[in-house]
Amino acid sequence: MLLQFQQGNSEDLWSYSSDDLWRSSSVAAFSHNNSTDERTPLLNKIIIPTAARVSKWTESFYKRACILNILPVVVVLIWCSVPIPFDDCDTILCEYFDYINTAVSATALTSPPSRINFWFFLFWYYGIYNAVALFLMTKLFSIYALNWYPRLLGAKTTFALFWMASQTIGVIFYFVPIMNDESVFWVSLTFFTMSMPVIGALVIIHRKRMDRRHRGRVGVLLSTTPPGDGDLSTRRKSSIMRWIPTDLPRLRAPASYRRFLWFCTALTIALLALVGGEMYAYLFLSTMPHTSLDAFIYVYSWVGAIYIMDAMTDYILYRKVRSHPLASIFKLYFFMIYFIFYRNLFARLRSVDQFAIVQLGSFLWVCIYYPIAMTPQVHKALVRFIGVTLTYDEYKEKLGRSFYLRNLAENTTMIGFLCWVNILHFGPNRAAYPYFHMDDKDGNPYNHQLTVIAAIIIWTSELTSAYITRHTFKKAFNHSITQQAVREFEKYPEMIIGFVLVMIHVLQNILMALVKLDFTANLEKVN
């Protein structure tokens, strides 16, 4: 007796589509649908903007500057400026004798407070930082046209569960203190939180692939007779089910599945850069003070690491994933990581000579490398010896895009640094950030005024070199990187939201790395 149960055909297995992670078709079409009206939710208009709306956002220099440079900095400044309550101080705006605050009341503390209230830190400081990180991951998956959450739970529920899981782990480590006083732990916990969407999407897509593999088989019901003596007709028959493929499938996984794995690889590299940068900053802070040579090695060894990781993700996203918006977002991400650590290095430079040495290489690189790299001769050499397949026009656009993103990261990180170096030096959260004290007293070699003035001079130098290079691009190569950027924003509307989220996340990350945490005394009170 032979029965067949068809569970699908073999083409289901290999015609694998990324839609299996249930990205809504309405979301995919929304960004290029300009017919939204007053009934469209405001949040949708912001998170998933249309091409027409993005065109209005980027139509002038001032609007672009407000959205791409000012908005991320304002969000981060609000986040870090809210007064932090200390458990060893009775008031939120704590008064204490300090190098700056000389006119204080008689009840002021003799030393700065150090015991940050854990619950405030967990739900405001770390909670918002963690939520932005999850939101960024969600936006990256959205641009890739995948949803990382199970359809049964939905986006909001899964987002809340992952966020609460991370917060719960923080609470557990608070009551079982191992290294919760180290900012490295909290950034590593965010690394875990940002990895959960990747792991969840991998599990979902792998399960869907296995389901399709199963549906590509035919069930065959076989009747068998057990061995033994006696008449064959009197022996009891048994049946077993055996699944066989309808045809011989290819050994190689489907292209969309491989593309998704490459996307996950790029995300993993980016997340490792996050933790690596934190460890690098931790090492730098624990080995101060540094000489000029130390500062030079610190900056340019980190530059080398960033460029290597950037090259790896750039290759993956352009050649394997083939997503221009994701490639641009990741490149901005690595530029932001490099420049934000570079900026905060300024707070530990002790002389004008150190500032000059650090900045000289950057100025020469911008004014010399980029114009030379854009010449047809360099392009021909890359095609001949490296195997570059881009046409010269495509090559110019890619190089111009890289320079635009570099400028964007330069200006945003410098605005952020100049703001918080003053807010955290003079403001109510001064005690939580001893890194920005720089009082030049009692042998302290760092000076706040020198840092701010030198940073402004360096920013002026960067703006000058950027103007020279942009002018060279326009006159010598007939290429405007600003017009190119505006066209790409209109073509890929969701990319601008990805840019803003990346900048907020990286700016928050460096401040999380520099905050001084000490929860030991708080835990002793609980016990």
Side-chain angles (χ1 to χ4, degrees):
M1 182 177 182
L2 182 65
L3 298 176
Q4 291 188 355
F5 298 89
Q6 182 71 37
Q7 289 199 342
N9 55 63
S10 60
E11 291 183 358
D12 289 338
L13 174 60
W14 306 112
S15 299
Y16 183 81
S17 170
S18 60
D19 291 336
D20 282 323
L21 286 191
W22 310 298
R23 174 162 166 79
S24 170
S25 58
S26 61
V27 172
F30 183 84
S31 60
H32 293 284
N33 179 15
N34 296 326
S35 61
T36 57
D37 53 27
E38 64 277 1
R39 293 173 297 178
T40 304
L42 178 61
L43 191 60
N44 277 8
K45 294 179 181 179
I46 297 174
I47 297 177
I48 313 174
T50 63
R53 186 171 297 276
V54 170
S55 179
K56 292 180 180 179
W57 290 352
T58 58
E59 63 185 2
S60 69
F61 165 79
Y62 299 102
K63 290 184 178 180
R64 290 193 300 272
C66 286
I67 293 175
L68 294 171
N69 297 121
I70 306 300
L71 177 61
V73 173
V74 169
V75 171
V76 174
L77 291 179
I78 293 173
W79 170 73
C80 73
S81 299
V82 174
I84 298 175
F86 292 86
D87 286 343
D88 52 347
C89 185
D90 295 332
T91 59
I92 294 180
L93 296 176
C94 190
E95 289 188 338
Y96 55 91
F97 289 96
D98 187 73
Y99 294 108
I100 295 176
N101 300 323
T102 54
V104 294
S105 64
T107 59
L109 300 177
T110 57
S111 61
S114 60
R115 315 295 188 186
I116 293 177
N117 182 272
F118 172 77
W119 302 107
F120 174 87
F121 170 81
L122 180 69
F123 289 105
W124 173 259
Y125 228 69
Y126 180 71
I128 293 179
Y129 167 69
N130 211 19
V132 170
L134 266 179
F135 194 15
L136 172 60
M137 294 297 293
T138 304
K139 175 53 65 176
L140 292 177
F141 274 91
S142 174
I143 293 174
Y144 183 75
L146 290 177
N147 285 334
W148 55 266
Y149 47 82
R151 180 168 51 181
L152 182 63
L153 293 177
K156 296 178 182 178
T157 302
T158 309
F159 188 99
L161 288 175
F162 279 19
W163 183 84
M164 287 189 293
S166 181
Q167 301 293 103
T168 303
I169 293 174
V171 173
I172 293 173
F173 274 84
Y174 172 65
F175 287 103
V176 185
I178 299 177
M179 56 177 301
N180 59 12
D181 292 347
E182 302 290 347
S183 57
V184 176
F185 165 76
W186 295 98
V187 174
S188 300
L189 184 56
T190 299
F191 169 82
F192 168 75
T193 307
M194 297 175 74
S195 300
M196 286 194 288
V198 181
I199 297 172
L202 277 171
V203 170
I204 294 172
I205 203 168
H206 182 72
R207 186 179 62 187
K208 297 294 291 185
R209 181 167 178 256
M210 291 300 101
D211 289 345
R212 288 180 179 267
R213 184 188 295 272
H214 184 67
R215 290 200 302 270
R217 298 175 180 180
V218 173
V220 180
L221 187 63
L222 301 177
S223 298
T224 62
T225 303
D229 299 332
D231 187 5
L232 184 64
S233 61
T234 61
R235 275 184 260 165
R236 187 175 181 180
K237 296 182 179 181
S238 61
S239 300
I240 61 173
M241 178 71 73
R242 178 170 296 174
W243 296 94
I244 60 174
T246 55
D247 58 4
L248 293 177
R250 298 191 302 268
L251 296 178
R252 196 176 185 185
S256 56
Y257 183 69
R258 298 196 307 272
R259 181 173 176 261
F260 175 71
L261 294 181
W262 279 116
F263 172 61
C264 292
T265 302
L267 283 176
T268 302
I269 294 173
L271 294 179
L272 290 176
L274 176 76
V275 178
E278 170 69 16
M279 296 300 296
Y280 212 69
Y282 181 81
L283 177 64
F284 181 78
L285 292 176
S286 62
T287 57
M288 292 190 301
H290 300 285
T291 64
S292 299
L293 180 61
D294 293 336
F296 183 86
I297 294 174
Y298 167 77
V299 170
Y300 288 101
S301 61
W302 183 239
V303 169
I306 287 297
Y307 271 95
I308 290 173
M309 289 184 284
D310 175 51
M312 293 170 63
T313 56
D314 190 70
Y315 172 81
I316 291 172
L317 293 169
Y318 270 113
R319 300 293 295 272
K320 301 298 183 180
V321 179
R322 299 184 300 279
S323 173
H324 166 75
L326 286 174
S328 298
I329 290 173
F330 274 70
K331 184 168 286 291
L332 175 64
Y333 172 79
F334 284 110
F335 272 133
M336 286 290 298
I337 290 178
Y338 158 54
F339 277 110
I340 198 61
F341 282 95
Y342 172 47
R343 301 309 187 203
N344 285 277
L345 172 67
F346 295 165
R348 285 300 177 266
L349 298 182
R350 293 174 290 178
S351 66
V352 177
D353 294 342
Q354 288 184 328
F355 282 95
I357 291 174
V358 169
Q359 180 59 20
L360 180 62
S362 177
F363 184 88
L364 294 176
W365 177 265
V366 170
C367 291
I368 297 176
Y369 165 76
Y370 278 97
I372 292 177
M374 192 168 274
T375 59
Q377 292 77 12
V378 172
H379 173 256
K380 290 179 181 178
L382 292 175
V383 171
R384 181 175 180 180
F385 298 108
I386 306 298
V388 172
T389 58
L390 299 175
T391 65
Y392 180 58
D393 288 337
E394 292 172 340
Y395 173 76
K396 283 198 304 182
E397 288 186 353
K398 186 174 182 180
L399 194 63
R401 183 182 308 118
S402 175
F403 187 71
Y404 177 83
L405 296 175
R406 177 190 175 93
N407 289 167
L408 187 59
E410 277 181 335
N411 295 328
T412 304
T413 53
M414 184 60 87
I415 293 172
F417 174 76
L418 288 174
C419 289
W420 68 54
V421 76
N422 289 286
I423 291 174
L424 298 177
H425 181 74
F426 296 105
N429 292 339
R430 170 183 167 83
Y433 284 93
Y435 183 80
F436 294 109
H437 282 185
M438 299 177 293
D439 293 311
D440 197 19
K441 294 185 179 181
D442 295 339
N444 189 333
Y446 312 115
N447 182 280
H448 173 266
Q449 183 179 5
L450 171 65
T451 300
V452 172
I453 293 175
I456 293 174
I457 294 174
I458 287 176
W459 192 19
T460 304
S461 168
E462 290 174 345
L463 292 174
T464 303
S465 63
Y467 174 79
I468 293 173
T469 305
R470 285 171 179 253
H471 188 72
T472 303
F473 285 169
K474 187 175 293 186
K475 296 299 182 181
F477 305 104
N478 193 29
H479 185 76
S480 172
I481 63 173
T482 301
Q483 294 178 5
Q484 175 190 343
V486 172
R487 290 195 304 268
E488 291 179 353
F489 283 135
E490 294 175 356
K491 186 176 181 180
Y492 308 105
E494 282 189 273
M495 188 168 65
I496 195 170
I497 305 300
F499 281 6
V500 172
L501 290 173
V502 160
M503 289 186 282
I504 293 174
H505 174 65
V506 175
L507 293 177
Q508 286 184 314
N509 182 62
I510 190 63
L511 293 180
M512 279 292 299
L514 297 176
V515 66
K516 182 182 179 182
L517 301 176
D518 186 358
F519 303 128
T520 306
N522 305 346
L523 186 59
E524 291 174 354
K525 292 180 181 179
V526 174
N527 295 333

